[in-house]
Every structure is written in structure tokens, then in C-alpha cells.
Amino acid sequence: MKNTNSINAKLHSETAAKESAAYMSAKTIAAETLGCKVNACDTQAMLELFIKEGYRAVDFSQPADVYLINTCSVTNIGDKKSRQMIRRAKKQNPAAIVVAAGCYAQTNPAEASATGADILIGNTERANAVYYVKEFEREKTARKTVSQITDERIFEELQIENLNGHTRGYVKIQDGCDNFCSYCIVPYARGRARSRKIQDCVSQCKRLAENGFTEIVLSGINIASYGKDLENETLTGLIAAIHDIPGIKRIRFSSADPRLMTNSFIGFLKTLPKICDFFHLSLQSGCDKTLLRMNRKYDTALYASTAESIRSFYPDAAITTDIIVGFPGETEKDFRDSYDFCGKMRFAKIHVFPFSAKKGTAACSMEGQVPYAEKKKREEAMLILAQNLRGGFLDENAGKIKSVLFEKEENGFLSGYTENYISVKTENCAAKVNTVKNVLLKRHMIS
């Protein structure tokens, strides 16, 4: 028996060594995501397709056989970073195959190709990424699969299965947008609004739960439009179905149009205990004249009413937003109106962006372009307000007991987030990673 055990152990060791050698000799792929959380979901799905085909994933800073860059084109900075990443990949390994996917590849295919991308995918046919790489290896011919995105009407299903080692999972439920805001390239980069079927969303959420995820973040370009292109499927139906999944303890939204948050919708959310009291409602400007030029389809009165309704149901809710300063035609008074409105809304956090004229949008050619120096001055003023509001929000929550989902342990400290998305870092806490525990928030612990 002893001799048999020894032989089995030796065979197991030899098999493990062979498997390890095969793994290390496999072709490598490095992936990089630029831009939004929706892009991050798409990158993960494409990366898993390569791993299933035997590729070994490595960090983007390392030499690789294939570089997958999921690009961004929301701003001119996104375009610039996309070009930089393509050049960086080619510099790290001139013989590598560089795949450019996403919004920059979709809206600027000629530039992406000239920069060094061998394969362009854009925002369709991402499920065929491995096939196109193998085709390039055989034929050594650049591939451009950038279709007319505005013609797309079907949500491209990309599965994610390699989900170990995390606590928060982003689930893409929707793509595209029909709003056509005057500053935004997204409808031209991602196409019209398209929804993912409830059964497919639920299937992914169940896999997330099975792999240890406890929090789900519903992501999309415009989740308020979810279900409008599907028959008998609604956002409320989707949320309720995900809420019933065992193992999922929290559900939150990545971003939402304020018009989605009606009294009835918020009231529905309140009946579901897993919904987090964190709401990112994009504002863009607190001036009605500017909102009109932006083609935002709501005014400050509706926004204020929405914020009031949320707080009536969720008194400790964190309401965060995005603000653009220096939009074409924005006068000093317009900016001051926007500044004052943001102060009244008591935002928990503001993401501030100076207007960037994006080629292909209506705002790019509008009259009244604000000088760079003035945009920077307004940006700095709004950032100071944002910092003060953040401090006030944290002060309001200090001394309260909040449930914290701990996500990381490092140097004796546990860190995680409350339901209203306050970052908590504490020591001497009897909790483990990926568990939820009630914590008395002290000001020095939160940020």
C-alpha cells in the first residue's frame, strides 16, 4: 500500500509539473480597460473567451502575444489615452497582435488602425474576438469589423464566468442610448438603447452568487431605458428577480437618469431590503438654460423633486452626480446658478468635468465656447464645493451604525463600504472579508 501511494504521489507530481509547464508555455493575453464600468464588463467577458481557448492572462505591463484594449471615446482625453495604450502595446512587443475594441475603435477606426491596432472590433462582434485573432495569425491581414452601430437593435450577449475572489459584481443589463445629449458621442459609439433579457441577467447573477459575490451593481449606458425594446420585461421585474437570488445581499445601480426615480419606482425599491441607499443621478448642470442647450430633457425643478423623494424614503441616502462646467454659452451667472443648485442638493459626491468639445457632437460647433482659463477657474470652484459637501455628508453619518461589506484586509486593517457607499477602514473589528457587519462609524474611519 505504501509503495502504491508513493507511485500515485509521483504520478500526480509529474502530471502537475506537465500542466504547469503547458500553462506557462501557453500564448499570453493582456487586457486593459479605459472608461466606464460597462467597458469593464465587456473586457472581462472578452478576456474569458481567450482564457477558454487556452491563453494565459498576464498584466498589461508585461510582454504578451495579444493585447486587448477596450477603448474609450467619451472625451478627447479618452481618445488620447486609447492611442497611448495602443502605442504602448506595440512598443512592449512589436510582434504582438493588438486588438482595439470599444468606443474609440468604433468612432475613430482609421485613427486606431494608423496608431497600430491590428484588429478593430468596435462595439459589436466582441464575442468573435478570438476568431479574429486566429484569422490574423493565419492570414496576417488587418481586420476591421466596425459595423454601423446605429443599426444594431439586439443586445450582444457576453457571458462572464471567471468570478472568483471578489465581493462586488458588475452586471451589464443594457447598452446604448436614445437621448442624444448635445455634448455626448455615446449614441454614435454604442448605438441605440438595447436591453439584456431578464433570464440572461439572472443567470449571470446566480453565477456571481455561486462564486462568492454578495453585492450586485446593475450597469448600463442608460438603465432607465431598460425593457423598452423587450416584450413584457421591465426594470422592476429584473430587480425583483435578482433580489430573490440566495447569496446576494446588496443591489445597487451604477448610474440613473433622474426621470427614472419616480415616487412609485422609489417606493417599489423601498420594499426590497437588499437595495442600497446610494443613487448616482447625473445632473450635468444646475442651470436650466444650460440643461436646455445640453438637450437633457429635464430641469432643476424635476431634479430637486427627485432628490427630495429619494430622501423621504431613504433619509441617509447618498446622492452623487456629474457636473460639466464651461459648457458653450455658460455665462458667469449660469455657472453661479449651477454652483448654488449643487449646494442646495447636498450631494455626497460630485464628479466635475470641464467641457471638452467632442468632434461629431452638436456642442462642438456651438457658439459661445468658454475659454480654457475660465473653465479651469469654474472647475476649481466646483471642486472646492464638492469637497465641502463630501465633508458635510461624512459628518452627518459619523456616529451612526451602518452595515459594512468588508472587501479587503491589509496591514491589520479591514476596509469596505456601507450601503450608502461610504468607505470604511477599521482595525480591531471581528469580521472577515466578504462579510457584512454593523459598525459604529467614527469620523477618522470614513472617507
Side-chain angles (χ1 to χ4, degrees), residues 148-412:
Q148 185 60 37
I149 192 71
T150 53
D151 293 337
E152 293 294 327
R153 293 294 183 270
I154 305 298
F155 182 93
E156 183 182 21
E157 182 64 28
L158 292 169
Q159 294 291 336
I160 298 177
E161 296 179 0
N162 184 24
L163 306 167
N164 295 315
H166 301 278
T167 58
R168 185 186 307 129
Y170 289 84
V171 177
K172 181 180 172 183
I173 66 170
Q174 182 274 337
D175 206 344
C177 184
D178 297 336
N179 287 339
F180 291 92
C181 299
S182 63
Y183 57 84
C184 187
I185 199 69
V186 166
Y188 309 99
R190 286 194 169 267
R192 306 304 291 267
R194 309 180 299 285
S195 306
R196 188 181 188 183
K197 292 181 180 179
I198 288 179
Q199 64 181 27
D200 294 326
C201 297
V202 170
S203 176
Q204 182 175 338
C205 290
K206 286 181 177 178
R207 291 198 304 275
L208 284 163
E210 289 165 0
N211 281 274
F213 280 71
T214 51
E215 182 174 308
I216 296 295
V217 184
L218 303 181
S219 302
I221 300 302
N222 179 22
I223 64 172
S225 67
Y226 180 86
K228 293 181 179 178
D229 57 323
L230 300 177
E231 191 173 342
N232 300 322
E233 300 203 8
T234 64
L235 183 57
T236 53
L238 170 63
I239 295 169
I242 294 173
H243 192 274
D244 288 340
I245 298 174
I248 300 299
K249 297 178 180 178
R250 290 180 171 182
I251 302 170
R252 67 173 83 241
F253 309 101
S254 59
S255 181
D257 187 306
R259 292 173 295 171
L260 169 65
M261 295 292 170
T262 61
N263 268 339
S264 60
F265 183 76
I266 303 168
F268 161 76
L269 296 181
K270 188 62 178 177
T271 67
L272 305 176
K274 295 180 182 180
I275 298 295
C276 294
D277 54 347
F278 170 84
F279 303 93
H280 184 83
L281 303 181
S282 186
L283 175 60
Q284 304 303 353
S285 176
C287 170
D288 285 334
K289 290 193 296 182
T290 304
L291 287 174
L292 190 61
R293 290 195 301 277
M294 289 178 167
N295 194 32
R296 286 298 289 174
K297 302 179 178 67
Y298 56 80
D299 57 18
T300 55
L302 184 146
Y303 194 100
S305 175
T306 299
E308 182 180 355
S309 293
I310 289 173
R311 288 182 173 128
S312 70
F313 285 96
Y314 297 96
D316 291 339
I319 300 177
T320 65
T321 200
D322 303 312
I323 291 290
I324 296 174
V325 298
F327 190 79
E330 183 186 69
T331 64
E332 179 62 33
K333 182 182 182 304
D334 293 339
F335 169 71
R336 183 53 55 180
D337 288 345
S338 183
Y339 180 96
D340 291 342
F341 183 78
C342 289
K344 293 176 183 176
M345 289 298 97
R346 306 186 346 263
F347 289 119
K349 191 171 186 178
I350 304 176
H351 301 278
V352 184
F353 304 93
F355 172 74
S356 175
K358 182 68 182 171
K359 185 178 179 181
T361 65
C364 184
S365 57
M366 281 183 175
E367 295 181 356
Q369 298 287 330
V370 178
Y372 174 80
E374 182 62 28
K375 285 192 287 189
K376 289 301 293 182
K377 186 178 80 170
R378 295 176 187 180
E379 178 188 17
E380 290 169 4
M382 191 67 79
L383 284 170
I384 292 172
L385 173 64
Q387 185 177 12
N388 292 336
L389 291 174
R390 181 64 180 174
F393 176 73
L394 295 177
D395 289 342
E396 290 176 3
N397 280 271
K400 294 180 179 179
I401 296 176
K402 293 288 184 182
S403 65
V404 179
L405 171 59
F406 287 104
E407 301 182 12
K408 186 166 58 175
E409 184 174 8
E410 193 172 35
N411 299 323

Side-chain angles (χ1 to χ4, degrees), residues 405-434:
L405 171 59
F406 287 104
E407 301 182 12
K408 186 166 58 175
E409 184 174 8
E410 193 172 35
N411 299 323
F413 285 87
L414 278 169
S415 59
Y417 289 87
T418 63
E419 290 177 310
N420 58 351
Y421 212 62
I422 294 174
S423 176
V424 178
K425 187 174 183 180
T426 182
E427 57 183 344
N428 302 321
C429 181
K432 296 181 180 179
V433 171
N434 205 23

Side-chain angles (χ1 to χ4, degrees), residues 78-91:
D79 288 351
K80 181 180 178 181
K81 288 183 177 179
S82 297
R83 291 191 294 270
Q84 289 173 339
M85 296 309 297
I86 294 170
R87 293 191 186 102
R88 178 181 168 187
K90 275 298 185 186
K91 184 177 180 180

